Amino acid sequence: MLCCNCGMAVKLLCLFLLLAVLYPSWAKEQTCLISASSCDECIQSGPECAWCTTPHSHIRCNTVKELQRAGCHQSYAYNPQGTVQVVKNDSSTEPTDAKALFLQPQELSLHLRPGVSQSFPLTITMPTDQPVPELTMDTSNVPAGVNITFSGVTTGNPLLVQVNLEVAQCPSNSDDSTQNRTGPWSVHVKPRGFSLSVKLEITLECQCDCTRNREENSPRCSSHGALVCGQCQCYNPHIGKLCQWDVDSFFSSDEDFCRWGPNAPVCSGRGRCVVDFCECEKRENPQERYSGQFCECSNFDCPYSNNQICGGHGQCECGQCICDNDWIGEGCNCSLDTASCMATNQQLCNGKGMCQCGRCKCEPPYKGPTCEM
């Protein structure tokens, strides 16, 4: 019996080691929202995601590498990475034994794309015989979701400090619309114990620049729509990829082309048949949409968890949740993070249970958050 238990333990250990090797490479894979209907929706789906602005491209949202494979030239792949611009960078005119604090630069403008970190060096010249303080920021001005950290580069006087900024994700449209969702926000960073600070103007890159460059009555849209970020936005009553159809004039004579099967509803009951193709109806909420050849898919009919679609940890595609890294489950409600299961002896669930969705399932008679009781 002892040998059998040893053999099982060895197998479990091997399986654990194999998962430890394979999981990181799998977790690093980024999933772009290939079905994104707009440039804004695309770039918000992941830091690696880009939008192809080539008119009439058959593929819009993917990584730059995949867009290039599909024929989208790199110059047409919109993939913002954020910027850091120094606005004010005056030099000190004080002698080296000055008794006043001096910070350089004094003001910066930062555009942050979620998931892409930005940093800049901050030089702090301390007053003579003053100890170097610990840096802090005015947290009352830092917007939710923006993370600011500091790392020492050099010591002495002046002190060179690296300031790092990152934001996890863009605010959702369900957030309070009365609030400033993407900035700019004024944030002040200062050494503890001093009133002098560096001003940061922070703006989130959650919208594509190309949305501001509408080409009205574009010939590429049959002069019946505006060309925005490479795709047509048709004027009523025109529809189609090139706005080439007038809804009032062209209806299909054979609606069977718009059914997924015999006696199935036309366009799944979610659209109308136009020239043998389904034109899916628009939702009142512009973020919700039907898609697919027969309008059979949606991006809102997915399981909810914690009052959020896909638990707030994934994307809804065709009625199924595509979970973010470190989350699994039908509704992306199961975390793969094991930190909450770690016991004081650095064993998962004290070696007396299984860590499932971030919680320990203890073997009797053990109990407690980490099976240590």
Side-chain angles (χ1 to χ4, degrees), residues 80-307:
Q81 295 298 299
T83 59
V84 177
Q85 181 180 2
V86 176
V87 178
K88 186 177 181 182
N89 190 30
D90 295 339
S91 300
S92 175
T93 58
E94 298 292 333
T96 56
D97 60 348
K99 295 183 179 180
L101 174 75
F102 184 75
L103 304 177
Q104 189 180 14
Q106 296 82 38
E107 185 176 347
L108 300 97
S109 174
L110 299 101
H111 285 72
L112 302 179
R113 180 177 179 178
V116 181
S117 62
Q118 297 290 342
S119 62
F120 66 90
L122 174 62
T123 302
I124 305 173
T125 304
M126 297 298 301
T128 307
D129 299 329
Q130 286 280 346
V132 177
E134 177 187 356
L135 280 186
T136 187
M137 58 262 195
D138 187 356
T139 56
S140 62
N141 288 338
V142 179
V146 176
N147 185 33
I148 303 178
T149 59
F150 304 89
S151 55
V153 178
T154 63
T155 58
N157 196 13
L159 172 71
L160 184 63
V161 174
Q162 191 83 358
V163 183
N164 311 295
L165 299 95
E166 188 170 2
V167 62
Q169 61 185 14
C170 292
S172 66
N173 289 333
S174 61
D175 293 344
D176 190 351
S177 59
T178 62
Q179 299 295 320
N180 186 357
R181 297 176 56 247
T182 59
W185 301 289
S186 293
V187 176
H188 293 270
V189 175
K190 62 180 181 180
R192 180 168 295 163
F194 295 88
S195 59
L196 189 63
S197 64
V198 175
K199 181 182 178 182
L200 309 179
E201 286 285 332
I202 300 176
T203 304
L204 302 188
E205 288 196 333
C206 297
Q207 295 178 317
C208 300
D209 289 340
C210 56
T211 58
R212 305 184 184 96
N213 301 319
R214 294 172 58 92
E215 183 184 332
E216 303 291 347
N217 301 299
S218 173
R220 293 188 176 96
C221 302
S222 308
S223 298
H224 297 308
L227 187 68
V228 183
C229 297
Q231 63 181 5
C232 293
Q233 293 184 359
C234 303
Y235 308 141
N236 287 330
H238 293 87
I239 59 173
K241 196 171 183 179
L242 307 180
C243 306
Q244 70 272 37
W245 296 324
D246 185 331
V247 173
D248 299 332
S249 303
F250 293 94
F251 281 91
S252 174
S253 58
D254 188 355
E255 293 184 337
D256 287 343
F257 288 106
C258 297
R259 305 177 192 269
W260 59 265
N263 302 319
V266 174
C267 300
S268 304
R270 299 170 170 178
R272 52 186 172 183
C273 192
V274 181
V275 196
D276 300 337
F277 290 93
C278 285
E279 190 73 25
C280 302
E281 64 185 33
K282 305 294 184 181
R283 299 276 299 177
E284 183 176 351
N285 183 346
Q287 299 301 315
E288 298 179 355
R289 68 181 186 279
Y290 296 117
S291 60
Q293 182 180 354
F294 305 106
C295 304
E296 72 277 13
C297 292
S298 75
N299 69 339
F300 57 88
D301 287 331
C302 281
Y304 275 70
S305 178
N306 297 324
N307 294 322

Side-chain angles (χ1 to χ4, degrees), residues 46-106:
E48 303 294 328
C49 301
W51 178 265
C52 182
T53 60
T54 303
H56 316 323
S57 173
H58 70 281
I59 182 172
R60 289 293 178 190
C61 185
N62 215 317
T63 63
V64 172
K65 184 177 180 179
E66 291 301 322
L67 289 179
Q68 287 180 306
R69 284 182 178 177
C72 181
H73 193 274
Q74 187 173 0
S75 60
Y76 287 96
Y78 182 76
N79 184 33
Q81 295 298 299
T83 59
V84 177
Q85 181 180 2
V86 176
V87 178
K88 186 177 181 182
N89 190 30
D90 295 339
S91 300
S92 175
T93 58
E94 298 292 333
T96 56
D97 60 348
K99 295 183 179 180
L101 174 75
F102 184 75
L103 304 177
Q104 189 180 14
Q106 296 82 38

